[in-house]
mmCIF file of all heavy atoms in Angstrom:
data_model
loop_
_atom_site.group_PDB
_atom_site.id
_atom_site.type_symbol
_atom_site.label_atom_id
_atom_site.label_comp_id
_atom_site.label_asym_id
_atom_site.label_seq_id
_atom_site.Cartn_x
_atom_site.Cartn_y
_atom_site.Cartn_z
ATOM 1 N N HIS A 1033 -14.240 -5.837 0.964
ATOM 2 C CA HIS A 1033 -13.311 -6.972 0.963
ATOM 3 C C HIS A 1033 -14.082 -8.289 1.051
ATOM 4 O O HIS A 1033 -13.850 -9.213 0.280
ATOM 5 C CB HIS A 1033 -12.308 -6.849 2.121
ATOM 6 C CG HIS A 1033 -11.518 -8.099 2.327
ATOM 7 N ND1 HIS A 1033 -11.781 -8.990 3.337
ATOM 8 C CD2 HIS A 1033 -10.497 -8.641 1.603
ATOM 9 C CE1 HIS A 1033 -10.950 -10.015 3.234
ATOM 10 N NE2 HIS A 1033 -10.160 -9.822 2.195
ATOM 11 N N ARG A 1037 -14.171 -11.230 -1.683
ATOM 12 C CA ARG A 1037 -13.594 -12.509 -1.266
ATOM 13 C C ARG A 1037 -14.588 -13.641 -1.532
ATOM 14 O O ARG A 1037 -14.215 -14.713 -2.002
ATOM 15 C CB ARG A 1037 -13.197 -12.440 0.205
ATOM 16 C CG ARG A 1037 -12.250 -13.548 0.586
ATOM 17 C CD ARG A 1037 -11.569 -13.318 1.909
ATOM 18 N NE ARG A 1037 -11.162 -14.600 2.431
ATOM 19 C CZ ARG A 1037 -9.903 -15.047 2.439
ATOM 20 N NH1 ARG A 1037 -8.930 -14.300 2.018
ATOM 21 N NH2 ARG A 1037 -9.628 -16.247 2.904
ATOM 22 N N GLY A 1198 0.492 -14.965 -6.100
ATOM 23 C CA GLY A 1198 0.631 -16.415 -6.152
ATOM 24 C C GLY A 1198 1.829 -16.967 -6.879
ATOM 25 O O GLY A 1198 2.143 -18.149 -6.757
ATOM 26 N N ARG A 1254 -1.780 -5.759 10.275
ATOM 27 C CA ARG A 1254 -3.102 -5.130 10.284
ATOM 28 C C ARG A 1254 -2.964 -3.767 10.948
ATOM 29 O O ARG A 1254 -2.286 -3.655 11.971
ATOM 30 C CB ARG A 1254 -4.102 -5.947 11.135
ATOM 31 C CG ARG A 1254 -4.194 -7.438 10.844
ATOM 32 C CD ARG A 1254 -5.006 -7.736 9.595
ATOM 33 N NE ARG A 1254 -5.208 -9.180 9.417
ATOM 34 C CZ ARG A 1254 -4.437 -9.952 8.656
ATOM 35 N NH1 ARG A 1254 -3.417 -9.439 7.989
ATOM 36 N NH2 ARG A 1254 -4.695 -11.237 8.543
ATOM 37 N N GLY A 1312 -0.903 -16.676 6.828
ATOM 38 C CA GLY A 1312 -1.663 -15.708 7.615
ATOM 39 C C GLY A 1312 -2.885 -16.368 8.217
ATOM 40 O O GLY A 1312 -2.876 -17.575 8.506
ATOM 41 N N GLY A 1313 -3.989 -15.574 8.399
ATOM 42 C CA GLY A 1313 -5.167 -16.187 9.007
ATOM 43 C C GLY A 1313 -6.378 -15.282 9.034
ATOM 44 O O GLY A 1313 -6.347 -14.124 8.615
ATOM 45 N N ARG A 1316 -8.508 -12.779 6.215
ATOM 46 C CA ARG A 1316 -7.501 -12.413 5.212
ATOM 47 C C ARG A 1316 -6.586 -13.579 4.878
ATOM 48 O O ARG A 1316 -5.610 -13.399 4.137
ATOM 49 C CB ARG A 1316 -6.616 -11.257 5.710
ATOM 50 C CG ARG A 1316 -7.318 -10.011 6.139
ATOM 51 C CD ARG A 1316 -8.234 -9.417 5.111
ATOM 52 N NE ARG A 1316 -7.613 -8.923 3.900
ATOM 53 C CZ ARG A 1316 -7.875 -7.729 3.353
ATOM 54 N NH1 ARG A 1316 -8.709 -6.892 3.954
ATOM 55 N NH2 ARG A 1316 -7.319 -7.378 2.218
ATOM 56 N N CYS A 1318 -4.555 -16.382 3.252
ATOM 57 C CA CYS A 1318 -4.225 -16.491 1.829
ATOM 58 C C CYS A 1318 -5.315 -17.239 1.069
ATOM 59 O O CYS A 1318 -5.639 -18.376 1.392
ATOM 60 C CB CYS A 1318 -2.898 -17.231 1.676
ATOM 61 S SG CYS A 1318 -2.488 -17.576 -0.037
HETATM 62 C C1 HEM B 535 3.505 -20.796 -0.848
HETATM 63 C C2 HEM B 535 2.793 -19.870 -1.481
HETATM 64 C C3 HEM B 535 2.058 -18.731 -0.810
HETATM 65 C C4 HEM B 535 2.306 -18.116 0.386
HETATM 66 C C5 HEM B 535 3.407 -18.433 1.399
HETATM 67 C C6 HEM B 535 1.298 -17.083 0.539
HETATM 68 C C7 HEM B 535 1.187 -16.256 1.647
HETATM 69 C C8 HEM B 535 0.197 -15.308 1.827
HETATM 70 C C9 HEM B 535 0.061 -14.477 2.994
HETATM 71 C C10 HEM B 535 0.987 -14.512 4.216
HETATM 72 C C11 HEM B 535 -1.016 -13.671 2.799
HETATM 73 C C12 HEM B 535 -1.535 -12.602 3.772
HETATM 74 C C13 HEM B 535 -2.484 -13.269 4.762
HETATM 75 C C14 HEM B 535 -2.907 -12.400 5.925
HETATM 76 O O1 HEM B 535 -2.775 -11.167 5.850
HETATM 77 O O2 HEM B 535 -3.383 -12.953 6.942
HETATM 78 C C15 HEM B 535 -1.575 -13.987 1.502
HETATM 79 C C16 HEM B 535 -2.687 -13.376 0.955
HETATM 80 C C17 HEM B 535 -3.181 -13.662 -0.291
HETATM 81 N N1 HEM B 535 -2.731 -14.636 -1.162
HETATM 82 FE FE1 HEM B 535 -1.206 -15.924 -0.828
HETATM 83 N N2 HEM B 535 0.478 -17.085 -0.567
HETATM 84 C C18 HEM B 535 0.904 -18.080 -1.419
HETATM 85 C C19 HEM B 535 0.323 -18.440 -2.626
HETATM 86 C C20 HEM B 535 -0.788 -17.839 -3.179
HETATM 87 C C21 HEM B 535 -1.421 -18.252 -4.413
HETATM 88 C C22 HEM B 535 -0.977 -19.434 -5.275
HETATM 89 C C23 HEM B 535 -2.441 -17.362 -4.651
HETATM 90 C C24 HEM B 535 -3.429 -17.322 -5.801
HETATM 91 C C25 HEM B 535 -3.282 -17.906 -6.954
HETATM 92 C C26 HEM B 535 -2.474 -16.426 -3.544
HETATM 93 C C27 HEM B 535 -3.389 -15.397 -3.417
HETATM 94 C C28 HEM B 535 -3.501 -14.589 -2.303
HETATM 95 C C29 HEM B 535 -4.505 -13.547 -2.177
HETATM 96 C C30 HEM B 535 -5.547 -13.143 -3.220
HETATM 97 C C31 HEM B 535 -4.321 -12.969 -0.898
HETATM 98 C C32 HEM B 535 -5.124 -11.820 -0.281
HETATM 99 C C33 HEM B 535 -6.247 -12.400 0.570
HETATM 100 C C34 HEM B 535 -7.128 -11.348 1.235
HETATM 101 O O3 HEM B 535 -6.645 -10.250 1.480
HETATM 102 O O4 HEM B 535 -8.292 -11.665 1.527
HETATM 103 N N3 HEM B 535 -1.452 -16.742 -2.682
HETATM 104 N N4 HEM B 535 -0.822 -15.001 0.927
#
Side-chain angles (χ1 to χ4, degrees):
H1033 169 257
R1037 197 165 156 105
R1254 310 282 186 265
R1316 305 305 295 227
C1318 174

